[in-house]
């Protein structure tokens, strides 16, 4: 059983299946007498959603990922040569290339049943940007075992500590430069690197401003949607109450008519009762007179 091979298998799984599969493989290793391997497997970190989506892009969206690396290499060459026109042209292509790669990563992830949030999409873009500007970061992505997102400040190498599940999975990067004894070229490269750093800082600031603006816009959209839902609910309730009020008014009118008819019936009944009482009293007197006459007869 090999750690790298098992890790490569585990990091192809969707995040929701990772923990159970990792536990199962660690138990298998322990049962096979591979205690150290079992310990290493149990310690493999679960990838963030953004890192997993980048791994899937590397595996399933190679055209878009290759486009990111190719543009990064072209930018690096143009910076070394201080070809400002070329840099400007390539810089204009960068948002499109990064955007296409992010969309492909989202499409691959969602095709596997994993929803990518806006925050995760921004982490994916930051990670791809880091790979575009730093060979070490690009090598980390190519491993397919990324566990966290990456970022770059344009000044220093990308921090790769703890970024890849198995450190040995990162391919070696050749950092030697041909013609390194050419002092003028080295100075030109440093100058171009400083220029790139300045440009990246400005881009990062603009990106941060864009992210904040989009976050505010998303929040406003959510609040608007909530207000519209509340309005729709209020309108629906108002219409329902109007129907109930009309039904109540109709019922009230019917009850009022019934009450009036009942009150008139009471009046008639009372009139009849009085008439009947008078008749009964008169007949009673007649009967009493007849009884008296009868009793007076010999």
């Amino acid at each position: 059983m090999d750690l790298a091979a098992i890790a490569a298998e585990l990091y192809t799984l969707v995040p929701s299946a990772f923990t159970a599969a990792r536990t199962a493989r660690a138990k298998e290793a322990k049962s096979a007498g591979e205690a150290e391997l079992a310990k290493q497997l149990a310690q493999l970190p679960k990838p963030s959603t953004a890192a997993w989506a980048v791994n899937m892009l590397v595996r399933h969206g190679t055209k878009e990922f290759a486009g990111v690396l190719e543009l990064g290499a072209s930018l690096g060459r143009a910076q070394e040569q201080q070809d400002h026109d070329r840099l400007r042209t390539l810089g204009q292509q960068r948002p499109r290339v990064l955007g296409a790669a992010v969309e492909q990563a989202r499409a691959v992830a969602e095709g596997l049943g994993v929803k990518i949030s806006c925050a995760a999409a921004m982490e994916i873009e930051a990670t791809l940007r880091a790979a575009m500007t730093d060979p070490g970061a690009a090598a980390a992505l190519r491993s397919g075992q990324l566990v966290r997102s990456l970022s770059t400040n344009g000044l220093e190498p990308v921090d790769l500590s703890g970024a890849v599940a198995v450190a040995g999975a990162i391919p070696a990067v050749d950092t030697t430069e041909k013609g390194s004894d050419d002092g003028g070229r080295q100075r030109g490269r440093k100058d171009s690197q400083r220029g790139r750093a300045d440009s990246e800082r400005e881009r990062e600031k603009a990106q941060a401003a864009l992210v904040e603006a989009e976050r505010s816009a998303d929040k406003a959209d959510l609040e608007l949607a909530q207000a519209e839902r509340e309005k729709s609910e209020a309108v629906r309730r108002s219409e329902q109450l109007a129907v109930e009020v009309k039904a109540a008014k109709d019922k009230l009118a019917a009850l009022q008519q019934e009450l009036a008819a009942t009150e008139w019936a009471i009046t008639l009944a009372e009139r009849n009762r009085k008439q009947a009482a008078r008749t009964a009293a008169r007949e009673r007197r007649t009967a009493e007179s007849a009884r008296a006459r009868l009793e007076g007869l010999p």
Side-chain angles (χ1 to χ4, degrees), residues 55-109:
N55 291 339
M56 294 304 98
L57 175 68
V58 174
R59 293 177 183 274
H60 303 288
T62 53
K63 180 179 72 172
E64 288 76 13
F65 179 62
V68 169
L69 299 188
E70 288 170 5
L71 182 58
S74 297
L75 282 166
R77 288 191 295 270
Q79 287 161 355
E80 287 183 1
Q81 298 165 6
Q82 300 186 57
D83 188 341
H84 300 296
D85 290 339
R86 181 66 173 158
L87 280 171
R88 184 164 49 255
T89 300
L90 293 172
Q92 292 171 347
Q93 297 177 16
R94 180 160 42 193
R96 176 181 57 79
V97 172
L98 285 172
V102 170
E103 286 306 310
Q104 180 61 17
R106 297 184 79 159
V108 171

Side-chain angles (χ1 to χ4, degrees), residues 6-25 41-47 52 146-147 165:
I6 296 174
E9 172 191 329
L10 289 174
Y11 285 99
T12 62
L13 302 175
V14 296
S16 61
F18 178 86
T19 302
R22 177 188 61 191
T23 301
R25 297 310 301 269
L41 288 170
Q43 293 175 343
L44 288 175
K46 179 180 177 179
W52 172 82
L146 201 66
V147 297

